[in-house]
Amino acid sequence: MAKHDKVAYEKRLHKITQIFEELVVHADEQATYRCPYKNREAHCTAKFGCRNQRRIAEGTGLLCVGDDKLDYRNAWEIEPIETPDVSHGAGSITCDGKTQRLAVGKTIFDYADDLAVQVPTSCLRTGQCHECIVEIKAGMQSLTPRKAEESFLRDNFRLACQAVVQDADADIAFAPLRRTPRILTDAVEVGTRGNLQPMVTHRDGIVYYDAEPLERFRGHLYGLALDIGTTTVVANLVNLENGETVSVSSFENPQRFGGSDIMNRISYDGQFRGELRRSLIAALNSEIMAMCSRHQFVRQEIYEIVVAGNTTMRDIFFKRDVQSIGQKPYKSVIEHEYRDGVRATTSLTEKARRLGIRANPKAMVYSLPLIASHVGADVAADLVAIDMSAQDEVVMLVDVGTNTEVVVGNSSQMVCASCPAGPAFEGGGITYGMPAYPGAIESVKWRDGALTYETIDGKPPQGLCGSGLISLLAALRRHGQMSPKGVFAERKQRELSLFPAHGITFSREDASNLAQAKAANYCGQFIVLRHYGCAPQDIAKLFLAGGFANYVNLQDAIDIGFLAPVPEERIIKIGNAAISGAKAVLLSREKRADVEAFVKNIEHIELETTPDFFDIFVEGCQFKPMLATEGTYIK
């Protein structure tokens, strides 16, 4: 009997499993949302009139332009929905500042309805879609234990539809994961207008992707530019005919239940493969349908999507295994294949339908190429936005986020590195740290012997966001309230009461967590500058990109060593450069070809392999300006 090749067999079995999984996903979407009278060519086969019918031409039938929003599953519901017994207690439930009396037997989702809090779902609250994840801020013990449908969740996260109140005498507070903090959507404008070269065009009533005909022109030619960050997601709807941005959407990345940083997300995805991606796609599809509703078009008029994102976020989005990114040498499977000569580029192209995105079934999804390791497609997009391929002088790019990326160079030579800063400056691990929601303290100043503050939208203070934390550290240092090592003026004091009326404090542990996050940024900038052979004073321009970096006081950031001391007049805040670069690539074949070429010539440094990395990191943990390479402080 002939021997079977077990490895080949497993590969074929895995491939067949993938095919069936995609078939099931597609069939489920079609059965759920697609009108049963719409055929594969989007023609209407009904024998009755409908407002979604459009005549194409004589003898060709009727085109269906329905937006596929209707959910047909109710037509097959056979089990009645049971109404739980309601027993009121002395406790209350709170979300977004709204409060209601608590009752036994009601779910968190019931209360979200009562409090007018938007929580997503597409499974009629059966626990199958895993979209309604909420964070239980207080009162977890007052809820029923996790059910089987919630086995993928950790810590204080629950499915709103499965978490039932069992103790109505305690207080519960919750927050949905899909919230809208102040997310930076403004960006530097890249010069593409007047020279539009999108992959998608139309002529003679037919839409083409490159030279391939897709379908008849429906009236709009749209594309999506996406920036998928660890913390936030931004989506721009772009008119491919004139280059204008039609709509800007932003939301908090709903994958936070898998951890607040990249390494935790990688670990979580290894244990619960597909859950992180599932939550992100559900959130994105919700935003797409909201865009359709706001601007009166159908999702089938979105013909291309361009994605920027760090290596991990991008590969999760594209259904790739990300486990190798969390292990030395911290490279994705895609990068390994590129370096082994298996593929010609680290960019990815896939059909929107295979990724489960609600766009035209024939729409293509393109990701900008990776650079190396954690320096991903978002940095490639940044470099497009600042037109790096045309820079003759030495410039510096610092994209601040959960992972901070640094690039130094010009069109002929570039050096880059990624710094695992973690989520501290986004509120993670800080007692009163928080994202940039209304009520977050964004600026702190020392006046008349006391600290004063400004909050986002002028709301009562709830905590400090990133820019507020940086200005707090600078104020404490300037006025002798804290040493460079994070020790308070009263040496035995472990905690400062910042704003007693609001109960907001700052501890030695908070300072330590911020010191380590700051040190990661410090190391990246210091080592890349030194490797390139360039001092901060020699940098012609420092492009500062990313979320809270746009709101940071530059002098504060330089004084505590968060930024290299480039002369302040040379520092340019460029906003969300990644979304700007993604949009430019969406509109220009030339820029797409340029970025594919120049990322291959960028030198990447693994910071931790630098012989004196530990010494630099220890120095970077102190809240003082960056050292020069010869050992003196840079003023």
Side-chain angles (χ1 to χ4, degrees), residues 213-530:
L214 300 182
E215 64 173 14
R216 291 186 177 274
F217 181 54
R218 295 171 183 260
H220 299 100
L221 217 60
Y222 289 143
L224 270 183
L226 296 181
D227 171 28
I228 304 173
T230 311
T231 308
T232 57
V233 179
V234 179
N236 282 12
L237 180 70
V238 180
N239 186 326
L240 300 179
E241 296 187 89
N242 58 22
E244 293 182 358
T245 299
V246 177
S247 179
V248 176
S249 294
S250 60
F251 54 93
E252 193 172 19
N253 191 327
Q255 297 175 342
R256 192 158 49 89
F257 63 86
S260 56
D261 60 31
I262 288 297
M263 288 304 183
N264 276 312
R265 299 270 176 95
I266 292 171
S267 174
Y268 184 93
D269 195 59
Q271 188 175 358
F272 301 103
R273 181 73 184 274
E275 289 293 347
L276 295 176
R277 182 183 175 280
R278 192 174 179 177
S279 67
L280 177 58
I281 294 297
L284 176 60
N285 283 337
S286 177
E287 290 297 325
I288 289 173
M289 301 314 288
M291 285 181 188
C292 292
S293 179
R294 282 197 305 270
H295 299 283
Q296 298 298 301
F297 71 97
V298 294
R299 64 184 178 87
Q300 290 85 350
E301 293 173 296
I302 298 174
Y303 293 99
E304 188 177 29
I305 300 169
V306 169
V307 178
N310 63 56
T311 306
T312 303
M313 292 297 98
R314 187 202 78 156
D315 281 11
I316 286 175
F317 184 82
F318 277 86
K319 291 186 176 181
R320 305 290 172 156
D321 187 345
V322 295
Q323 296 311 298
S324 64
I325 306 173
Q327 305 163 6
K328 286 187 177 182
Y330 308 111
K331 298 186 184 299
S332 71
V333 172
I334 302 301
E335 185 181 354
H336 280 302
E337 290 176 352
Y338 167 70
R339 297 191 181 281
D340 292 341
V342 176
R343 56 171 60 239
T345 176
T346 54
S347 63
L348 291 172
T349 303
E350 188 57 270
K351 290 182 179 178
R353 185 172 63 186
R354 286 177 63 87
L355 297 179
I357 301 172
R358 290 188 183 166
N360 188 284
K362 297 180 181 179
M364 302 303 292
V365 185
Y366 168 81
S367 161
L368 282 86
L370 308 176
I371 295 175
S373 295
H374 291 288
V375 187
D378 50 350
V379 181
D382 289 342
L383 296 175
V384 171
I386 66 174
D387 201 10
M388 191 68 164
S389 60
Q391 298 285 350
D392 295 325
E393 298 178 298
V394 177
V395 300
M396 184 174 183
L397 167 73
V398 179
D399 190 334
V400 180
T402 311
N403 264 33
T404 292
E405 285 81 32
V406 180
V407 182
V408 173
N410 55 23
S411 58
S412 59
Q413 181 189 4
M414 285 174 267
V415 178
C416 73
S418 177
C419 326
F425 282 100
E426 293 167 337
I430 309 302
T431 309
Y432 284 93
M434 64 181 291
Y437 298 120
I441 295 171
E442 60 177 337
S443 175
V444 175
K445 296 190 183 302
W446 186 274
R447 289 196 181 99
D448 301 324
L451 293 170
T452 62
Y453 62 82
E454 293 181 7
T455 65
I456 296 174
D457 293 347
K459 301 289 185 181
Q462 299 177 28
L464 296 104
C465 64
S467 59
L469 289 166
I470 286 176
S471 65
L472 170 67
L473 293 167
L476 294 176
R477 284 286 298 116
R478 286 193 193 108
H479 298 280
Q481 301 303 302
M482 187 178 75
S483 75
K485 294 183 178 180
V487 178
F488 299 141
E490 295 289 336
R491 296 185 64 87
K492 294 184 179 180
Q493 191 172 8
R494 304 297 301 178
E495 185 177 83
L496 293 179
S497 178
L498 300 180
F499 309 109
H502 303 284
I504 296 173
T505 62
F506 184 72
S507 69
R508 286 279 302 275
E509 186 179 354
D510 294 336
S512 176
N513 289 335
L514 291 169
Q516 293 178 62
K518 189 211 69 118
N521 284 282
Y522 181 105
C523 286
Q525 295 171 67
F526 183 91
I527 292 172
V528 171
L529 281 166
R530 185 178 69 178

Side-chain angles (χ1 to χ4, degrees), residues 90-103 107-117 119 134-140 142-143 165 168 170-176 179 462:
S92 63
I93 186 164
T94 304
C95 181
D96 290 347
K98 305 170 186 175
T99 302
Q100 192 170 86
R101 191 179 170 193
L102 207 57
T107 67
I108 295 296
F109 217 137
D110 293 331
Y111 283 108
D113 291 341
D114 294 343
L115 298 171
V117 174
V119 175
V134 294
E135 182 178 9
I136 306 300
K137 299 283 192 178
M140 178 72 97
S142 300
L143 302 171
V165 175
D171 292 329
I172 298 174
F174 74 95
R179 295 174 286 180
Q462 299 177 28

